[in-house]
Amino acid sequence: MRNIVVIDAPSNLGLRPPAPGTVPGCHKLAGALREQRILQRLNALEGGVVVPPRYDRGDWQEGDGVFNAAAIASYTCRLADRIEHHVRAGDFPLVLGGDCSIQLGASLALRRIGRYGLAAVDASHDFRHPGNSDHVGAAGGEELALATGRGQEDLTNLEGLKPYLRDADVRLFGIRDYFDEDTAELAGLKIPVVTVGDIREWGADALARVTAEAFATGQLQGFWVHLDADVLDPSVMPAVDSPDPDGLLPDELVALLRPWLASPHCVGLNVTIYDPDLDPEGTAGALLADVVVDAFAQA
């Protein structure tokens, strides 16, 4: 049994302000899940906090590229240091975000070690880049593009390791069936996109097992799982920045995650986007903690 090590990555650097003069509240995700006693329930070890730089977009304007880029680059390297240490030690890092840009820390860490895959569970593709959009700016909606080498060099080529992920080693799950903005591009790149409808048609458990088997073959040394809370339906997870309808239900998400987390080839998991500021009663946070704990439980 590997040790689960919980690492806090409370960065909100990759999201736009929810309102003028405010900052995104997803930096409180880790504290909220700790309040749900996630460490104790998982019998996990303490991995500490990687403290992010201050959120400050300065005089950034549309067209200036990714805001907070220098801060994100610095933070990505420091988070990668922490994750790399635990993966090399044989631990299983559970990284509590934060926005989706923290996934760059995991991808960089694993790129330092070798070649790894990514199972991204998200409502949207997060594949915005200068080649397909005039609105690049928020790294939290661009992290998959950045990790695969698309975008500005100060984020895509840290330590000269571009790309952190190869297109062929990425899989997307839980995309809303009506999101077709990047579908054609991803299809051309042969990056599989599994929608909510696909999961319900083929079965979450079956899909996850096939994916785990695919990641266990070939030249990969393992794979990482990225979980964005907005993959859940807003009826159960309204506390996200983009609560789009027709998402997964908790049991479906657990069924998808469980075979991956049980695989010896899975080396870590990060959880992102849940915003406690949008959850005054804490019910969505409690549900998210339950999902993560249940996903680690083996039948």
Side-chain angles (χ1 to χ4, degrees):
M1 292 291 292
R2 292 175 291 176
N3 292 321
I4 301 172
V5 180
V6 175
I7 302 168
D8 290 9
S11 173
N12 59 1
L13 296 169
L15 290 187
R16 298 178 185 274
T22 66
V23 299
C26 64
H27 66 286
K28 301 176 183 179
L29 180 156
L33 294 196
R34 284 175 176 268
E35 191 172 9
Q36 295 294 325
R37 302 182 69 254
I38 195 166
L39 268 78
Q40 295 87 343
R41 294 164 67 186
L42 291 172
N43 195 27
L45 300 180
E46 176 59 71
V49 182
V50 182
V51 179
R54 183 168 65 95
Y55 186 99
D56 182 6
R57 300 202 305 169
D59 58 359
W60 179 88
Q61 297 180 4
E62 293 287 348
D64 289 346
V66 176
F67 56 75
N68 291 325
I72 292 171
S74 170
Y75 189 69
T76 295
C77 293
R78 290 194 291 113
L79 180 56
D81 291 343
R82 188 76 60 91
I83 294 172
E84 179 187 7
H85 167 77
H86 287 291
V87 172
R88 288 189 183 275
D91 298 328
F92 188 101
L94 169 57
V95 183
L96 305 179
D99 70 71
C100 290
S101 67
I102 69 163
Q103 193 276 317
L104 293 172
S107 292
L108 177 61
L110 298 178
R111 176 67 178 85
R112 291 171 178 174
I113 301 171
R115 179 175 172 182
Y116 287 80
L118 175 71
V121 187
D122 200 325
S124 55
H125 308 101
D126 286 1
F127 204 68
R128 185 173 60 243
H129 59 84
N132 63 21
S133 176
D134 295 328
H135 301 289
V136 169
E142 301 159 14
E143 83 283 348
L144 183 57
L146 292 167
T148 55
R150 296 167 174 86
Q152 57 198 65
E153 283 282 303
D154 56 349
L155 291 174
T156 61
N157 199 26
L158 293 168
E159 302 173 8
L161 293 176
K162 177 181 181 178
Y164 318 132
L165 296 168
R166 303 188 191 191
D167 295 346
D169 302 336
V170 175
R171 309 284 188 275
L172 297 176
F173 295 85
I175 306 298
R176 299 297 196 263
D177 289 84
Y178 49 85
F179 284 177
D180 57 5
E181 184 176 357
D182 301 315
T183 300
E185 182 180 7
L186 291 165
L189 297 170
K190 295 182 170 55
I191 297 178
V193 175
V194 181
T195 68
V196 172
D198 294 332
I199 291 171
R200 288 176 177 157
E201 179 180 354
W202 298 332
D205 179 80
L207 279 169
R209 291 183 186 279
V210 169
T211 303
E213 291 171 4
F215 279 141
T217 60
Q219 298 175 309
L220 294 180
Q221 292 172 252
F223 67 100
W224 184 272
V225 179
H226 165 76
L227 172 59
D228 183 331
D230 72 10
V231 76
L232 287 164
D233 192 80
S235 63
V236 295
M237 179 51 66
V240 296
D241 61 322
S242 298
D244 297 299
D246 302 324
L248 292 177
L249 296 175
D251 288 350
E252 294 172 321
L253 179 54
V254 170
L256 188 65
L257 293 173
R258 188 172 282 173
W260 293 336
L261 301 187
S263 169
H265 301 282
C266 183
V267 297
L269 165 70
N270 62 253
V271 183
T272 63
I273 291 299
Y274 163 66
D275 186 343
D277 286 348
L278 305 176
D279 185 28
E281 302 300 322
T283 54
L287 180 139
L288 182 59
D290 288 347
V291 164
V292 173
V293 171
D294 289 349
F296 276 101
Q298 299 306 309

